[in-house]
Amino acid sequence: MKQNQPVIVALDLPNELAVRQLVERLDPALCRLKVGKELFTATGPALVKDLVRQGYQVFLDLKFHDIPNTVAGACRVAADLGVWMVDVHAAGGPAMLEAARLALEGSRAGQQRPLLVAITVLTSFNQETLHAIGVQGDVPAAVLRLAGLAQAAGLDGVVCSAAEAKVLRARFAPPFLLVTPGIRLPGAAPDDQVRIVTPRAACASGADFLVIGRPITGSADPRATLQQINAELQELNAS
Ligand code: C5P
């Protein structure tokens, strides 16, 4: 992994004040930020714009999944916020994925378009859940198939569990991006994550970006924790 800022801090916090208090202890030179459905629903686009104004690269994680025209419109508006990355569900199918990509390519003339990544199979899904919604085959097969749809539609990459990064990387070479949540520092509590890996292991498996929430947001010194993770990853890249 050669990204110079691989850590994306997940801002899973209850309100704007908590976000501001955390963000002022971080630094755009040290990390990117992820705004998900809960925070966005609570605070709307104003906070996103403000984070962008502060110099942060923001992953707007709203996981769009709708008819192609609606998703294209949502992506266009997201790009207007100045975000760095947006995501959609690969299960939305080829036409929806392509509409999303085209909408972003046409956005913000003269400025860099946001990266577009796809959700394959949510990590909360298991074999039974997949079968319950009528998907045949096992989880890795579904992940590979959906990542293939994302690549065929010209997307920049996928969000996947670190457990899947290795098999995806074997099939999808860089610059196809692998964005990986479920990261924990060695010896730390897993919280509600089931398949966790350390930052180093995720990168060694081929992940490009690591989405990290509670290990940083819940740390007594979020900046020091982030710096510790960055230092470890730099060491790995140098070795
Ligand atoms: O606190 P923690 O590090 O577990 O946060 C992980 C973040 O990544 C959360 O925002 C969670 O919603 C997100 N995520 C995940 N698993 C996925 C996709 C996103 O944990 N498959």
Coordinates of all heavy atoms in Angstrom, one line a residue, residues 116-181:
L116 N -15.1 6.9 -6.5 CA -16.4 6.2 -6.4 C -16.1 4.7 -6.1 O -15.5 4.0 -6.8 CB -17.2 6.3 -7.7 CG -18.5 5.5 -7.7 CD1 -19.5 6.1 -6.7 CD2 -19.1 5.7 -9.1
V117 N -16.5 4.3 -4.9 CA -16.3 2.9 -4.5 C -17.7 2.2 -4.2 O -18.7 2.9 -3.9 CB -15.4 2.8 -3.3 CG1 -14.0 3.3 -3.6 CG2 -15.9 3.5 -2.1
A118 N -17.6 0.9 -4.3 CA -18.9 0.1 -4.1 C -18.8 -0.8 -2.9 O -17.8 -1.4 -2.6 CB -19.1 -0.7 -5.4
I119 N -20.0 -0.9 -2.3 CA -20.1 -1.9 -1.2 C -20.4 -3.2 -1.9 O -21.2 -3.3 -2.8 CB -21.4 -1.5 -0.3 CG1 -21.3 -0.1 0.3 CG2 -21.5 -2.6 0.8 CD1 -20.1 0.1 1.2
T120 N -19.7 -4.3 -1.5 CA -20.0 -5.6 -2.0 C -21.0 -6.3 -1.1 O -22.2 -6.1 -1.3 CB -18.7 -6.4 -2.2 OG1 -18.0 -6.4 -0.9 CG2 -17.8 -5.8 -3.2
V121 N -20.5 -7.1 -0.2 CA -21.4 -7.7 0.8 C -21.1 -7.1 2.2 O -20.0 -7.1 2.6 CB -21.2 -9.2 0.8 CG1 -22.1 -9.9 1.9 CG2 -21.5 -9.8 -0.5
L122 N -22.2 -6.6 2.8 CA -22.0 -6.0 4.1 C -21.4 -7.0 5.1 O -21.7 -8.2 5.0 CB -23.3 -5.5 4.7 CG -23.9 -4.3 4.0 CD1 -25.4 -4.1 4.5 CD2 -23.1 -3.0 4.2
T123 N -20.5 -6.5 6.0 CA -19.9 -7.5 6.9 C -20.9 -8.0 7.9 O -20.6 -9.0 8.6 CB -18.7 -6.8 7.7 OG1 -19.1 -5.6 8.1 CG2 -17.5 -6.7 6.8
S124 N -22.0 -7.4 8.0 CA -23.1 -8.0 8.9 C -23.8 -9.1 8.3 O -24.6 -9.8 8.9 CB -24.1 -6.9 9.2 OG -24.6 -6.3 8.0
F125 N -23.5 -9.4 7.0 CA -24.1 -10.5 6.3 C -23.3 -11.8 6.5 O -22.1 -11.8 6.6 CB -24.2 -10.3 4.8 CG -25.5 -9.6 4.3 CD1 -25.9 -8.5 4.9 CD2 -26.2 -10.2 3.2 CE1 -27.1 -7.9 4.4 CE2 -27.3 -9.6 2.8 CZ -27.8 -8.5 3.4
N126 N -24.1 -12.9 6.6 CA -23.4 -14.2 6.6 C -24.1 -15.1 5.5 O -25.0 -14.6 4.8 CB -23.4 -14.9 7.9 CG -24.8 -15.2 8.4 OD1 -25.8 -15.1 7.7 ND2 -25.0 -15.4 9.7
Q127 N -23.7 -16.3 5.4 CA -24.3 -17.2 4.4 C -25.8 -17.2 4.4 O -26.5 -17.1 3.4 CB -23.7 -18.6 4.7 CG -23.7 -19.5 3.6 CD -22.8 -19.0 2.5 OE1 -21.7 -18.7 2.8 NE2 -23.4 -18.8 1.3
E128 N -26.3 -17.3 5.7 CA -27.8 -17.4 5.8 C -28.5 -16.2 5.3 O -29.5 -16.2 4.6 CB -28.2 -17.6 7.3 CG -28.3 -19.0 7.7 CD -28.5 -19.0 9.2 OE1 -29.2 -18.2 9.8 OE2 -27.9 -19.9 9.9
T129 N -27.9 -15.0 5.6 CA -28.5 -13.8 5.2 C -28.5 -13.7 3.7 O -29.5 -13.2 3.1 CB -27.8 -12.5 5.8 OG1 -27.0 -12.9 6.9 CG2 -28.7 -11.4 6.1
L130 N -27.4 -14.1 3.1 CA -27.3 -14.0 1.6 C -28.4 -14.9 1.0 O -29.1 -14.5 0.1 CB -26.0 -14.6 1.2 CG -24.8 -13.6 0.9 CD1 -23.7 -14.4 0.2 CD2 -25.2 -12.4 0.0
H131 N -28.6 -16.1 1.6 CA -29.6 -17.0 1.0 C -31.0 -16.5 1.2 O -31.8 -16.6 0.4 CB -29.4 -18.4 1.6 CG -28.1 -19.1 1.0 ND1 -27.6 -20.2 1.6 CD2 -27.3 -18.7 0.0 CE1 -26.5 -20.5 0.9 NE2 -26.3 -19.6 0.0
A132 N -31.2 -15.8 2.4 CA -32.5 -15.3 2.7 C -33.0 -14.2 1.7 O -34.1 -14.1 1.4 CB -32.5 -14.7 4.1
I133 N -32.0 -13.5 1.1 CA -32.4 -12.5 0.1 C -32.2 -13.1 -1.3 O -32.3 -12.4 -2.3 CB -31.6 -11.2 0.2 CG1 -30.1 -11.4 0.1 CG2 -31.9 -10.5 1.6 CD1 -29.4 -10.1 -0.2
G134 N -32.0 -14.4 -1.4 CA -32.1 -15.0 -2.7 C -30.7 -15.1 -3.5 O -30.7 -15.3 -4.7
V135 N -29.6 -14.8 -2.8 CA -28.3 -14.8 -3.4 C -27.7 -16.2 -3.3 O -27.6 -16.7 -2.1 CB -27.4 -13.7 -2.9 CG1 -26.0 -13.9 -3.5 CG2 -27.9 -12.4 -3.1
Q136 N -27.4 -16.8 -4.4 CA -26.8 -18.2 -4.3 C -25.3 -18.1 -4.1 O -24.7 -17.1 -4.4 CB -27.1 -19.0 -5.6 CG -28.6 -19.1 -5.9 CD -29.4 -19.7 -4.8 OE1 -29.0 -20.7 -4.2 NE2 -30.6 -19.2 -4.5
G137 N -24.7 -19.2 -3.7 CA -23.3 -19.2 -3.5 C -22.8 -18.7 -2.2 O -23.7 -18.2 -1.4
D138 N -21.5 -18.8 -1.9 CA -21.1 -18.3 -0.6 C -20.6 -16.8 -0.6 O -20.6 -16.2 -1.7 CB -19.9 -19.2 -0.1 CG -18.7 -19.2 -1.0 OD1 -18.7 -18.4 -1.9 OD2 -17.9 -20.1 -0.9
V139 N -20.3 -16.3 0.6 CA -20.0 -14.9 0.7 C -18.8 -14.5 -0.2 O -18.9 -13.5 -1.0 CB -19.8 -14.5 2.2 CG1 -19.3 -13.0 2.3 CG2 -21.1 -14.7 3.0
P140 N -17.7 -15.2 -0.1 CA -16.5 -14.8 -1.0 C -16.9 -14.7 -2.5 O -16.5 -13.8 -3.2 CB -15.5 -15.9 -0.7 CG -15.8 -16.4 0.6 CD -17.3 -16.4 0.7
A141 N -17.7 -15.7 -2.9 CA -18.1 -15.7 -4.3 C -19.0 -14.5 -4.7 O -18.8 -13.8 -5.7 CB -18.9 -17.0 -4.7
A142 N -19.9 -14.1 -3.7 CA -20.7 -12.9 -4.0 C -19.9 -11.7 -4.0 O -20.1 -10.8 -4.8 CB -21.8 -12.9 -2.9
V143 N -18.9 -11.6 -3.0 CA -18.0 -10.4 -3.0 C -17.2 -10.3 -4.3 O -17.2 -9.2 -4.9 CB -17.0 -10.6 -1.8 CG1 -15.9 -9.5 -1.8 CG2 -17.8 -10.5 -0.5
L144 N -16.7 -11.4 -4.8 CA -15.9 -11.3 -6.0 C -16.8 -10.9 -7.2 O -16.4 -10.1 -8.0 CB -15.3 -12.7 -6.3 CG -14.0 -13.0 -5.5 CD1 -13.6 -14.4 -5.7 CD2 -12.9 -12.0 -5.9
R145 N -18.0 -11.5 -7.2 CA -18.9 -11.1 -8.4 C -19.3 -9.6 -8.3 O -19.2 -9.0 -9.3 CB -20.2 -12.0 -8.3 CG -21.0 -12.0 -9.5 CD -22.1 -13.0 -9.5 NE -23.0 -12.9 -8.3 CZ -23.1 -13.8 -7.3 NH1 -22.4 -14.8 -7.3 NH2 -23.9 -13.6 -6.3
L146 N -19.6 -9.2 -7.1 CA -20.0 -7.8 -7.0 C -18.9 -6.8 -7.3 O -19.0 -5.8 -7.9 CB -20.7 -7.5 -5.6 CG -22.0 -8.2 -5.5 CD1 -22.4 -8.3 -4.0 CD2 -23.1 -7.4 -6.2
A147 N -17.7 -7.2 -6.8 CA -16.5 -6.4 -7.1 C -16.2 -6.3 -8.6 O -15.8 -5.3 -9.2 CB -15.3 -6.9 -6.4
G148 N -16.5 -7.5 -9.3 CA -16.3 -7.5 -10.7 C -17.3 -6.6 -11.4 O -16.9 -5.9 -12.4
L149 N -18.5 -6.5 -10.9 CA -19.5 -5.5 -11.5 C -19.0 -4.1 -11.3 O -19.1 -3.2 -12.2 CB -20.8 -5.6 -10.8 CG -21.7 -6.8 -11.0 CD1 -23.1 -6.6 -10.3 CD2 -22.0 -7.0 -12.5
A150 N -18.4 -3.8 -10.1 CA -17.9 -2.5 -9.9 C -16.8 -2.1 -10.8 O -16.7 -1.0 -11.4 CB -17.4 -2.4 -8.4
Q151 N -15.9 -3.1 -11.0 CA -14.7 -2.8 -11.9 C -15.2 -2.6 -13.4 O -14.8 -1.7 -14.1 CB -13.7 -4.0 -11.8 CG -12.4 -3.6 -12.5 CD -11.5 -4.8 -12.6 OE1 -11.9 -5.9 -12.9 NE2 -10.2 -4.5 -12.3
A152 N -16.1 -3.5 -13.8 CA -16.6 -3.4 -15.2 C -17.3 -2.1 -15.4 O -17.3 -1.6 -16.6 CB -17.6 -4.6 -15.4
A153 N -17.9 -1.5 -14.4 CA -18.6 -0.2 -14.6 C -17.6 1.0 -14.4 O -18.1 2.1 -14.5 CB -19.7 -0.1 -13.6
G154 N -16.4 0.7 -14.2 CA -15.4 1.7 -14.2 C -15.2 2.4 -12.8 O -14.7 3.5 -12.7
L155 N -15.7 1.8 -11.7 CA -15.6 2.4 -10.4 C -14.1 2.3 -10.0 O -13.3 1.5 -10.5 CB -16.5 1.7 -9.4 CG -17.9 2.3 -9.3 CD1 -18.7 2.1 -10.6 CD2 -18.7 1.7 -8.1
D156 N -13.8 3.1 -8.9 CA -12.4 3.1 -8.5 C -12.1 2.0 -7.5 O -10.9 1.8 -7.3 CB -12.2 4.5 -7.8 CG -12.4 5.6 -8.7 OD1 -11.6 5.7 -9.7 OD2 -13.3 6.4 -8.6
G157 N -13.0 1.3 -7.0 CA -12.7 0.3 -6.0 C -13.9 -0.2 -5.2 O -15.1 0.1 -5.6
V158 N -13.7 -0.9 -4.1 CA -14.7 -1.4 -3.3 C -14.4 -1.2 -1.8 O -13.2 -1.1 -1.4 CB -15.0 -2.9 -3.5 CG1 -15.6 -3.2 -4.9 CG2 -13.7 -3.8 -3.3
V159 N -15.5 -1.3 -1.0 CA -15.3 -1.4 0.4 C -15.4 -2.9 0.8 O -16.3 -3.5 0.3 CB -16.4 -0.6 1.2 CG1 -16.2 -0.7 2.7 CG2 -16.4 0.9 0.7
C160 N -14.5 -3.4 1.5 CA -14.5 -4.8 1.8 C -13.9 -5.1 3.2 O -13.2 -4.2 3.8 CB -13.7 -5.6 0.8 SG -12.0 -5.2 0.8
S161 N -14.2 -6.2 3.8 CA -13.6 -6.6 5.1 C -12.2 -6.9 4.8 O -11.9 -7.4 3.7 CB -14.4 -7.7 5.8 OG -13.9 -8.9 5.3
A162 N -11.3 -6.7 5.8 CA -9.9 -7.1 5.6 C -9.8 -8.5 5.3 O -8.8 -9.0 4.6 CB -9.1 -6.6 6.8
A163 N -10.7 -9.3 5.8 CA -10.7 -10.8 5.6 C -10.8 -11.1 4.1 O -10.3 -12.1 3.6 CB -11.8 -11.5 6.3
E164 N -11.4 -10.2 3.3 CA -11.6 -10.4 1.9 C -10.6 -9.7 1.1 O -10.5 -10.0 -0.2 CB -13.0 -9.9 1.5 CG -14.1 -10.7 2.0 CD -15.4 -9.9 2.3 OE1 -15.4 -8.7 2.0 OE2 -16.3 -10.4 2.9
A165 N -9.8 -8.9 1.7 CA -8.8 -8.1 0.9 C -7.9 -8.9 0.1 O -7.6 -8.6 -1.1 CB -8.1 -7.1 1.8
K166 N -7.4 -10.0 0.7 CA -6.4 -10.8 0.0 C -6.9 -11.4 -1.3 O -6.3 -11.3 -2.4 CB -5.8 -11.9 0.9 CG -4.4 -12.2 0.7 CD -3.9 -13.1 1.8 CE -2.4 -13.1 1.8 NZ -1.8 -13.4 3.0
V167 N -8.1 -12.0 -1.2 CA -8.6 -12.7 -2.4 C -9.1 -11.7 -3.4 O -8.9 -11.9 -4.6 CB -9.8 -13.6 -1.9 CG1 -10.9 -12.9 -1.3 CG2 -10.3 -14.4 -3.1
L168 N -9.5 -10.5 -3.0 CA -9.9 -9.4 -3.9 C -8.6 -8.9 -4.6 O -8.6 -8.7 -5.8 CB -10.6 -8.3 -3.2 CG -12.1 -8.6 -2.9 CD1 -12.6 -7.5 -2.0 CD2 -12.9 -8.5 -4.2
R169 N -7.6 -8.7 -3.8 CA -6.3 -8.1 -4.4 C -5.7 -9.1 -5.4 O -5.2 -8.6 -6.5 CB -5.4 -7.8 -3.3 CG -4.1 -7.1 -3.7 CD -4.4 -5.9 -4.6 NE -4.7 -4.6 -4.0 CZ -5.5 -3.7 -4.5 NH1 -6.1 -3.9 -5.7 NH2 -5.6 -2.5 -3.9
A170 N -5.9 -10.4 -5.2 CA -5.4 -11.4 -6.1 C -6.1 -11.2 -7.5 O -5.5 -11.5 -8.5 CB -5.5 -12.8 -5.6
R171 N -7.3 -10.8 -7.5 CA -8.1 -10.8 -8.7 C -8.1 -9.3 -9.3 O -8.2 -9.2 -10.5 CB -9.6 -11.2 -8.4 CG -10.5 -11.2 -9.5 CD -10.4 -12.4 -10.4 NE -10.9 -13.6 -9.7 CZ -12.2 -14.0 -9.6 NH1 -13.1 -13.3 -10.3 NH2 -12.5 -15.1 -9.0
F172 N -8.1 -8.3 -8.4 CA -8.2 -6.9 -8.9 C -6.9 -6.2 -8.5 O -6.7 -5.8 -7.3 CB -9.4 -6.3 -8.3 CG -10.7 -7.0 -8.6 CD1 -11.2 -7.9 -7.6 CD2 -11.4 -6.8 -9.8 CE1 -12.4 -8.6 -7.9 CE2 -12.6 -7.5 -10.0 CZ -13.1 -8.4 -9.1
A173 N -6.1 -5.9 -9.5 CA -4.8 -5.3 -9.3 C -5.0 -3.8 -9.0 O -6.0 -3.2 -9.4 CB -3.9 -5.5 -10.5
P174 N -4.0 -3.1 -8.3 CA -4.1 -1.7 -8.2 C -4.1 -1.1 -9.6 O -3.5 -1.7 -10.5 CB -2.7 -1.4 -7.5 CG -2.3 -2.6 -6.8 CD -2.9 -3.7 -7.7
P175 N -4.6 0.0 -9.8 CA -5.1 1.0 -8.8 C -6.5 0.8 -8.3 O -7.1 1.7 -7.7 CB -5.0 2.3 -9.6 CG -5.3 2.0 -11.0 CD -4.8 0.6 -11.2
F176 N -7.2 -0.4 -8.6 CA -8.5 -0.7 -8.0 C -8.3 -0.6 -6.5 O -7.5 -1.4 -5.9 CB -8.9 -2.1 -8.5 CG -10.4 -2.3 -8.3 CD1 -11.4 -1.7 -9.0 CD2 -10.8 -3.2 -7.3 CE1 -12.7 -1.9 -8.9 CE2 -12.2 -3.5 -7.1 CZ -13.1 -2.8 -7.9
L177 N -9.1 0.2 -5.9 CA -8.9 0.5 -4.4 C -9.7 -0.5 -3.5 O -10.8 -0.8 -3.8 CB -9.4 1.9 -4.1 CG -8.7 3.1 -4.8 CD1 -9.4 4.4 -4.5 CD2 -7.2 3.1 -4.4
L178 N -9.0 -0.9 -2.5 CA -9.7 -1.7 -1.4 C -9.8 -0.8 -0.1 O -8.7 -0.4 0.4 CB -8.9 -3.0 -1.2 CG -8.7 -3.9 -2.4 CD1 -8.0 -5.1 -1.9 CD2 -10.0 -4.3 -3.1
V179 N -11.0 -0.5 0.3 CA -11.2 0.3 1.5 C -11.7 -0.6 2.6 O -12.7 -1.3 2.4 CB -12.2 1.4 1.2 CG1 -12.4 2.3 2.4 CG2 -11.7 2.3 0.0
T180 N -11.0 -0.7 3.7 CA -11.3 -1.8 4.7 C -11.6 -1.3 6.1 O -10.8 -0.6 6.7 CB -10.0 -2.6 4.7 OG1 -9.7 -3.0 3.4 CG2 -10.2 -3.9 5.6
P181 N -12.8 -1.6 6.6 CA -13.1 -1.3 8.0 C -12.8 -2.5 8.9 O -12.2 -3.5 8.4 CB -14.6 -1.0 8.0 CG -15.1 -1.8 6.8 CD -14.0 -2.1 5.8

